[in-house]
Amino acid sequence: GAVVSQHPSWVICKSGTSVKIECRSLDFQATTMFWYRQFPKQSLMLMATSNEGSKATYEQGVEKDKFLINHASLTLSTLTVTSAHPEDSSFYICSAGGGSEDQPQHFGDGTRLSIL
Amino acid sequence: RKEVEQDPGPFNVPEGATVAFNCTYSNSASQSFFWYRQDCRKEPKLLMSVYSSGNEDGRFTAQLNRASQYISLLIRDSKLSDSATYLCVARRGRRALTFGSGTRLQVQP
């Protein structure tokens, strides 16, 4: 069964709307979660590393004020796309796990965001 | 230069064929490696980890060559259900995964 749950799986909304995406680890605690974005026909690109109880670490070129990350508990991280615009339309996916370097991470189902 | 490079394909092969994918990574600090499979519009799913000693899981064999920074995946007796994009992935310590752009496989009847 799924070990990382992501919600919602699909969002369609108007330009200017803020959208919150949740990522939950289901049967383990995750002090670190990762948020990725994937545009069509492209690879997954890391956006930010979400750290429980502290600020997220953003990758170069990712606006922290636009993509707000909150990791308030050991099982939940949220990504809020603020004032979304059509160019933010993408597949957003979180991962968790892999507590040691040779353990793989588990992915949520992903959220397909379409901004009209 | 991308940190993880793959041939994007597509690889079109008949059922029953053997197909091999290659991948190179540029960051010598990468310590662990994986192959993930991604179906269209779905999340990546782990296929297998990759070790220097080579590892096999049924019809799938993965190999890592640290000296040449090269990773491979061999699929024997291809099935229609193997059609997907295969992602080569590297990781440094506990950091996030670094993905290649993926190699698309289409197995044809």
Side-chain angles (χ1 to χ4, degrees):
Chain A
V3 295
V4 175
S5 170
Q6 190 172 338
H7 176 81
S9 56
W10 198 291
V11 180
I12 301 174
C13 58
K14 293 180 180 179
S15 186
T17 307
S18 291
V19 178
K20 181 188 279 189
I21 303 169
E22 294 187 347
C23 180
R24 293 180 186 274
S25 56
L26 296 182
D27 54 5
F28 64 98
Q29 294 181 333
T31 55
T32 302
M33 292 184 177
F34 301 99
W35 287 96
Y36 298 84
R37 179 167 56 181
Q38 186 178 32
F39 291 106
K41 300 189 187 299
Q42 294 187 25
S43 186
L44 280 80
M45 296 298 294
L46 179 67
M47 296 178 66
T49 301
S50 174
N51 304 300
E52 188 269 333
S54 64
K55 290 182 181 179
T57 305
Y58 290 82
E59 295 300 298
Q60 191 173 13
V62 178
E63 298 175 56
K64 62 180 181 182
D65 294 330
K66 181 165 183 66
F67 299 99
L68 301 179
I69 290 174
N70 184 286
H71 194 152
S73 79
L74 286 170
T75 60
L76 174 64
S77 174
T78 62
L79 168 68
T80 301
V81 184
T82 61
S83 186
H85 289 95
E87 60 266 28
D88 297 323
S89 299
S90 188
F91 186 54
Y92 292 85
I93 190 164
C94 68
S95 74
S100 61
E101 63 190 37
D102 62 344
Q103 288 183 342
Q105 293 175 11
H106 300 283
F107 286 86
D109 291 342
T111 298
R112 198 159 296 280
L113 177 63
S114 295
I115 307 297
L116 306 177
Chain B
R1 184 186 172 190
K2 291 181 183 176
E3 194 166 324
V4 178
E5 297 219 50
Q6 295 179 250
D7 180 345
F11 284 59
N12 295 304
V13 303
E15 270 187 290
T18 295
V19 61
F21 302 142
N22 303 319
C23 166
T24 57
Y25 62 96
S26 60
N27 192 334
S28 58
S30 297
Q31 295 158 311
S32 48
F33 305 90
F34 310 93
W35 283 100
Y36 277 75
R37 168 193 170 132
Q38 187 175 27
D39 292 288
C40 189
R41 304 170 81 85
K42 297 282 190 180
E43 79 280 13
K45 290 191 186 294
L46 177 68
L47 184 64
M48 58 200 306
S49 301
V50 189
Y51 306 110
S52 298
S53 54
N55 50 307
E56 187 173 313
D57 183 2
R59 299 181 292 110
F60 300 85
T61 302
Q63 187 73 52
L64 164 66
N65 184 319
R66 288 188 187 272
S68 354
Q69 297 184 189
Y70 172 91
I71 301 160
S72 65
L73 176 68
L74 184 76
I75 305 175
R76 290 180 297 277
D77 189 22
S78 300
K79 312 289 185 192
L80 294 175
S81 57
D82 294 334
S83 298
T85 297
Y86 290 82
L87 304 170
C88 179
V89 181
R91 191 182 192 197
R92 284 181 292 149
R94 295 184 177 185
R95 291 180 174 85
L97 303 179
T98 300
F99 288 85
S101 54
T103 298
R104 197 152 60 88
L105 172 65
Q106 185 66 49
V107 181
Q108 296 164 335

